[in-house]
């Protein structure tokens, strides 16, 4: 693709530039406000060569745009320590999440503009280069004699192309998922690659290096990279060709003349916003904005847990009717494990004959002690553990979580509940509230209900449109795949209770003053909708039981059995990873 960029064009006349730039800037300012009022988010990614002027292009735009609805995320050069956190977690230090985490977190709300000064493609290249250098270092050995190291060097070089292709393939898949999810959710994604010649790069970086005030921007290590221009060119070209998606195409910018570059960037953004505004407001964007306003009006910025259920509007009723009329997709684009769970296929032991209390106490203590020891090893290896709990009301999720947390160092885990989304959360993609709530490497994240609310309660109650929850299955699969690629152990528990046992627990709670707070009118309403929820759960099992994140059923008519089973599964998973 890069060969199509004309780097020989004559510099743009200064007078012409001022006139054209002012017209485009004035138009862009107006379009920004129109997009803001319509809830259209704009994501602008700048990639390109070191010294190409990416930061200057962003600064030129930021000077004129409304700063209240504009943000900039800068992807810094990663050092060996931070790159090791991307590449395997066993080599890193505490604090880093998935490669994508920083970009997920920086995403602005619908109606705002988010600039990324380099982004997920830069991160992918840095990760790839680090993996190559680490493998080469391990293969050669610092003290290896030359005659012994040379055969290894040749083998490493021969396999480098294959490894690079594999790394790029994974990175492009993650980029495709992220960008497609954004566009599906009402965002406009504009990607720029700023291209310059090797001579221009050398000249610009040398100028920065020679000035003491700017030398930090062009250290000697960056100057040496100019000599690798040809190899980097091929790498960039492969990246661009593999990620030129129809919903997020690349715009190649000739960066040798900053005036022409500024005009091209501004014109591209004007065109993109005009197309988005002319297309009409996206249904999902409109509904999310309406829910955000309703929640905000009801309780300020943070909506109470039952806020969506209090709305009771005609629109909500109509959305629910539409949701019930639409079926889930017939299949996932992900491979689904054979023999995945079904609600009818879950077999419970009799609640009248639970695990003996003495046996329960002995097994619980043994598994908790085992988990405590494994947690220390997990922390040292910097392996993140994600435990996700879904299940029927009164199934015993809270008690199960409590027994797991009891075995852990209080400083090493976080329990993430899933109350009704706040206004800022509703103005982002639905996964954003979980993109920004991940455990640190070496820590444990426990989710008391989760991202599956989109295809369960939001589907059944009509809080998500049919289009939203229907596409959520593969969006969830993509998210979970990224977590596993990061290196996380992801365990998804479905805590199941039979209808008869659930009814008995409901009645017991209602009769016990100390437990009456656990039973609400909503619980009874949900029970009345058992057929709808059962269908949603079966669809969830059918479409999200992937090999990398299968569903695990905890049969909880006998709570003791379910607690011990969960602990044993967690311990087995940790041991398998640590011994791998």
């Amino acid at each position: 693709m890069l060969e199509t960029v004309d780097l020989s064009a004559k510099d743009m006349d200064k007078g012409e530039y001022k006139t054209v730039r002012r017209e485009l800037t004035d138009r862009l300012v107006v379009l920004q406000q129109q997009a803001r009022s319509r809830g259209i988010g704009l994501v602008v990614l700048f990639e390109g060569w070191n010294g190409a002027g990416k930061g200057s292009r962003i600064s030129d735009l930021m000077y004129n745009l409304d700063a209240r609805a504009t943000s900039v995320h800068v992807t810094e050069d990663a050092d060996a320590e931070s790159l090791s956190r991307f590449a395997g977690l066993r080599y890193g230090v505490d604090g880093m999440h998935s490669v994508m985490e920083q970009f997920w977190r920086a995403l602005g709300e619908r109606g705002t503009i988010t600039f990324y000064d380099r982004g997920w493609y830069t991160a992918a290249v840095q990760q790839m280069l680090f993996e190559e250098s680490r493998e080469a270092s391990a293969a050669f050995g610092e003290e290896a004699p030359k005659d012994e190291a040379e055969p290894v060097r040749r083998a490493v070089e021969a396999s480098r192309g294959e490894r690079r292709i594999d790394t790029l393939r994974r990175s492009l898949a993650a980029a495709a998922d992220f960008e497609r999810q954004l566009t599906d959710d009402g965002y406009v994604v504009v990607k720029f690659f700023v291209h310059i010649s090797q001579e221009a790069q050398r000249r610009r970086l040398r100028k920065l290096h020679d000035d003491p005030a700017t030398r930090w921007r062009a250290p000697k290590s960056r100057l040496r990279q100019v000599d690798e221009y040809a190899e980097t060119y091929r790498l960039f070209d492969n990246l661009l060709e593999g990620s030129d998606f129809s919903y997020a195409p690349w715009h190649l910018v000739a960066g040798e003349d900053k005036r022409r570059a500024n005009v091209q960037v501004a014109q591209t953004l004007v065109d993109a916003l005009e197309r988005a505004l002319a297309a009409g407001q996206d249904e999902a964007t409109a509904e999310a904005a309406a829910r955000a306003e309703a929640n905000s009006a009801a309780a300020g910025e943070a909506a109470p847990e039952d806020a969506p259920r209090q709305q009771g509007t005609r629109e909500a009723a109509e959305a629910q009717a539409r949701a019930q009329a639409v079926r889930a997709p017939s299949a996932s684009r992900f491979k689904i494990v054979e023999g995945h769970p079904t609600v009818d296929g879950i077999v419970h032991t009799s609640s009248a004959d639970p695990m003996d209390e003495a046996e329960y106490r002995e097994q619980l203590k043994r598994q908790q002690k085992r988990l405590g020891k494994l947690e220390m090893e997990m922390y040292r290896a910097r392996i993140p553990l994600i435990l996700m709990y879904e299940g029927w009301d009164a199934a015993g999720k809270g008690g199960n979580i409590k027994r797991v947390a009891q075995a852990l160092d209080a400083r090493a885990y976080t329990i993430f509940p899933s109350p009704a989304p706040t206004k800022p959360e509703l103005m982002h993609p639905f996964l954003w509230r979980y993109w920004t709530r991940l455990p640190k490497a070496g820590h444990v994240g426990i989710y008391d209900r989760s991202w599956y609310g989109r295809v369960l309660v939001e589907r059944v109650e009509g809080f998500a449109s049919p289009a939203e929850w229907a596409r959520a299955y593969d969006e969830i699969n993509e998210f979970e795949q990224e977590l596993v690629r990061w290196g996380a152990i992801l365990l998804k528990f479905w805590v199941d209770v039979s209808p008869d046992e659930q009814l008995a627990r409901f009645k017991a709670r209602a009769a016990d003053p100390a437990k009456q707070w656990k039973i609400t009118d909503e619980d009874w309403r949900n029970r009345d909708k058992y057929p709808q929820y059962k269908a949603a759960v079966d669809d969830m099992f059918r479409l999200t039981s992937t090999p990398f994140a299968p569903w695990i059923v905890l049969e909880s008519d006998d709570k003791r059995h379910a607690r011990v089973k969960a602990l044993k599964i967690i311990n087995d998973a940790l041991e398998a990873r640590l011994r791998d």
Side-chain angles (χ1 to χ4, degrees), residues 193-242:
F193 187 92
V194 187
H195 184 40
I196 55 174
S197 66
Q198 184 177 19
E199 292 72 21
Q201 184 186 40
R202 191 186 307 278
R203 183 176 63 254
R204 292 182 181 186
L205 292 181
R206 172 56 64 183
K207 183 178 180 181
L208 291 171
H209 181 79
D210 290 345
D211 186 341
T214 59
R215 184 169 297 158
W216 61 274
R217 295 175 58 188
K220 289 183 178 179
S221 60
R222 184 163 291 184
L223 290 178
R224 289 194 294 269
Q225 291 174 5
V226 178
D227 295 331
E228 302 172 359
Y229 183 93
E231 182 178 359
T232 307
Y233 182 104
R234 290 191 294 272
L235 173 60
F236 280 152
D237 211 42
N238 287 334
L239 268 176
L240 293 169
E241 290 181 359

Side-chain angles (χ1 to χ4, degrees), residues 467-480:
E468 287 176 320
W469 63 255
R471 70 170 183 258
Y473 298 100
D474 276 345
E475 291 178 347
I476 288 170
N477 289 336
E478 291 161 358
F479 174 47
E480 292 176 351

Side-chain angles (χ1 to χ4, degrees), residues 84-382:
S84 69
R85 288 176 270 186
F86 295 161
L89 302 188
R90 295 171 187 261
Y91 309 91
V93 299
D94 187 36
M96 195 62 200
H97 297 144
S98 160
V99 174
M100 293 300 298
E101 188 269 349
Q102 61 174 310
F103 310 114
W104 290 338
R105 185 176 293 277
L107 178 66
E109 299 177 2
R110 297 184 191 88
T112 67
I113 301 177
T114 307
F115 288 103
Y116 290 93
D117 183 358
R118 301 187 302 172
W120 36 101
Y121 296 100
T122 289
V125 171
Q126 291 176 341
Q127 178 185 358
M128 181 193 66
L129 294 177
F130 172 78
E131 288 177 345
E132 290 184 354
S133 64
R134 188 184 68 188
E135 290 177 12
S137 177
F140 303 150
E142 293 183 2
E143 305 300 326
K146 183 176 181 181
D147 59 341
E148 295 180 12
E150 191 58 32
V152 179
R153 185 182 303 276
R154 289 197 299 269
V156 170
E157 292 294 337
S159 64
R160 176 168 292 181
E162 182 178 341
R163 293 197 311 274
R164 178 169 290 186
I165 291 172
D166 184 59
T167 300
L168 288 179
R169 185 183 296 113
R170 295 196 309 269
S171 300
L172 294 179
D177 292 342
F178 180 48
E179 293 167 17
R180 195 210 69 254
Q181 287 181 23
L182 290 178
T183 56
D184 284 348
D185 212 69
Y187 285 80
V188 176
V189 178
V190 180
K191 302 186 301 190
F192 294 109
F193 187 92
V194 187
H195 184 40
I196 55 174
S197 66
Q198 184 177 19
E199 292 72 21
Q201 184 186 40
R202 191 186 307 278
R203 183 176 63 254
R204 292 182 181 186
L205 292 181
R206 172 56 64 183
K207 183 178 180 181
L208 291 171
H209 181 79
D210 290 345
D211 186 341
T214 59
R215 184 169 297 158
W216 61 274
R217 295 175 58 188
K220 289 183 178 179
S221 60
R222 184 163 291 184
L223 290 178
R224 289 194 294 269
Q225 291 174 5
V226 178
D227 295 331
E228 302 172 359
Y229 183 93
E231 182 178 359
T232 307
Y233 182 104
R234 290 191 294 272
L235 173 60
F236 280 152
D237 211 42
N238 287 334
L239 268 176
L240 293 169
E241 290 181 359
S243 56
D244 191 34
F245 311 123
S246 60
Y247 46 84
W250 281 105
H251 300 274
L252 305 182
V253 178
E256 309 246 336
D257 177 10
K258 68 177 183 180
R259 295 171 185 165
R260 287 190 183 278
N262 284 342
V263 167
Q264 181 182 348
V265 167
Q267 183 66 65
T268 302
L269 295 179
V270 165
D271 293 344
L273 285 176
E274 286 182 339
R275 285 194 299 270
L277 290 164
Q281 189 166 20
D282 177 74
E283 179 183 355
T285 300
E287 291 188 7
R291 290 196 299 272
E293 289 301 322
N295 283 2
S296 179
E301 285 296 301
E305 187 164 351
D306 61 343
R309 299 167 181 82
Q310 294 174 347
Q311 291 176 26
T313 62
R314 184 183 64 181
E315 290 78 11
E318 292 175 351
Q320 179 176 352
R322 292 197 303 272
Q324 297 307 315
V326 175
R327 293 185 177 183
S330 60
S332 169
R333 70 176 179 85
F334 286 80
K335 180 181 179 181
I336 301 300
V337 295
E338 295 183 5
H340 60 76
T342 63
V343 174
D344 288 338
I346 298 172
V347 178
H348 291 268
T349 58
S350 173
S351 59
D353 185 25
M355 178 184 288
D356 175 76
E357 183 171 355
E359 179 188 3
Y360 165 65
R361 294 296 178 191
E362 187 276 329
Q363 291 198 37
L364 180 70
K365 182 177 180 180
R366 175 154 46 90
Q367 294 298 338
Q368 286 181 328
K369 185 176 180 180
R370 182 183 170 203
L371 178 56
K373 291 181 178 179
L374 288 170
E375 179 205 355
M376 297 297 103
E377 294 184 55
M378 179 193 82
Y379 178 78
R380 288 194 295 270
R382 294 300 184 260

Side-chain angles (χ1 to χ4, degrees), residues 451-459 469 472-473 476 536-537 540:
W451 41 93
Y452 283 95
R454 173 60 57 123
V455 297
L456 294 176
V457 64
E458 292 188 33
R459 164 181 165 169
W469 63 255
Y473 298 100
I476 288 170
V537 173
M540 177 187 75

